[in-house]
Amino acid sequence: MTESSAFGALLRQTAAPAAGPPARLWGLVPCAGTGSRALAPGAVQSLPKQYQRVAGQPLVLHTLAAFFGVARLAGTLVAVAPGDTFFDQHRHPLFFAVPCGGATRADTVLGGLKALAERGAHDADWVLVHDAARCLVTTAQIDALIDACQHDGVGGLLGHKLADTLKTATDGPSGVRVAATVDRSDKWLAQTPQMFRLGALREALEHMGAAATDEASAMEAMGLRPRLVPGSAQNFKVTYPEDFALAEAVLAQRLHGATVARFAGSGGEAATGADAAVFFSRPAR
């Protein structure tokens, strides 16, 4: 049996049974990185980028605010590094932090999948893995991904069709120069969330290891083709110092000092801690 056909059998094994209870949906936010690329030249890092303030709140809380509005999620696990105490002061009943972060993204996600299983998640359940630093994702985009993928045989991810002309380059004595122009008509920028069955994703990540830069690439390595669901240019990953200013501008326009209501979310009680209590309070009626 080939590797891809063996994995196809695994997908069939982890598919939700037709007559059984529906598969649950879980959020998983890897939050164990340091974000060194977000530092300005010569700057000294005081906090990982996911905890730096953007539009008045720690960046990761904006990310979690979007997940807060998705009523179909059974819960959202935030995978933090061992010893990380940030969420001791930012607790909320709709997400929970677990110190299962590893040396790589794949290690952190695998740790999160294990932690979800320990909390009762099944291999047939769906898990939506989302970058902590993609703080501009919206509840509507997450719901659109679920709608597109919950009956798919593989799963999928948010993506954005490449708009700019794409070049390949060479680097030589005369500097970096254009080698060729690449057809962009079938090129997409991979975004998150990325949504797959828990058991199938665990198997794929264990197979590919640290080389998996995202969950879709691990699934692709097993011969599968994840569904691409249109996202948004605003759903970018805060990576470099200048990205903070852009995220700040977008969030300030959306929030206007309000809360999760601006993400079309509702439900849940206020979080513990002054910042979180404001950010996750119920929308005014």
Side-chain angles (χ1 to χ4, degrees), residues 103-172:
T104 67
R105 177 196 173 88
D107 290 335
T108 298
V109 173
L110 279 171
L113 296 177
K114 179 181 178 182
L116 283 173
E118 290 171 350
R119 287 175 175 256
H122 301 295
D123 280 359
D125 286 349
W126 293 102
V127 60
L128 285 81
V129 183
H130 183 70
D131 299 322
R134 289 188 190 271
C135 60
L136 300 178
V137 72
T138 66
T139 295
Q141 289 164 0
I142 300 170
D143 275 324
L145 179 67
I146 294 172
D147 290 341
C149 294
Q150 64 183 338
H151 301 300
D152 192 88
V154 176
L157 65 153
L158 289 183
H160 186 63
K161 289 206 72 172
L162 194 65
D164 296 323
T165 299
L166 185 64
K167 306 287 187 181
T168 58
T170 59
D171 190 358

Side-chain angles (χ1 to χ4, degrees), residues 42-102:
V44 177
Q45 185 156 347
S46 58
L47 284 174
K49 70 178 178 183
Q50 61 266 28
Y51 301 144
Q52 295 182 33
R53 287 184 174 266
V54 179
Q57 297 292 338
L59 184 151
V60 69
L61 293 189
H62 293 289
T63 303
L64 291 171
F67 279 78
F68 176 88
V70 182
R72 289 177 282 183
L73 291 178
T76 297
L77 183 150
V78 187
V80 300
D84 186 334
T85 60
F86 174 84
F87 285 98
D88 290 351
Q89 301 301 317
H90 298 84
R91 294 193 175 113
H92 192 277
L94 293 184
F95 61 79
F96 48 97
V98 179
C100 57

Side-chain angles (χ1 to χ4, degrees), residues 155-220:
L157 65 153
L158 289 183
H160 186 63
K161 289 206 72 172
L162 194 65
D164 296 323
T165 299
L166 185 64
K167 306 287 187 181
T168 58
T170 59
D171 190 358
S174 60
V176 180
R177 294 184 175 272
V178 171
T181 299
V182 180
D183 178 15
R184 70 184 181 200
S185 62
D186 61 348
K187 304 298 187 296
W188 290 64
L189 297 173
Q191 299 182 339
T192 65
Q194 301 193 1
M195 175 177 164
F196 300 104
R197 300 276 188 188
L198 190 153
L201 179 58
R202 181 184 63 242
E203 183 81 5
L205 288 171
E206 288 174 345
H207 169 81
M208 192 171 185
T213 56
D214 70 350
E215 294 65 50
S217 63
M219 301 294 278
E220 294 160 36

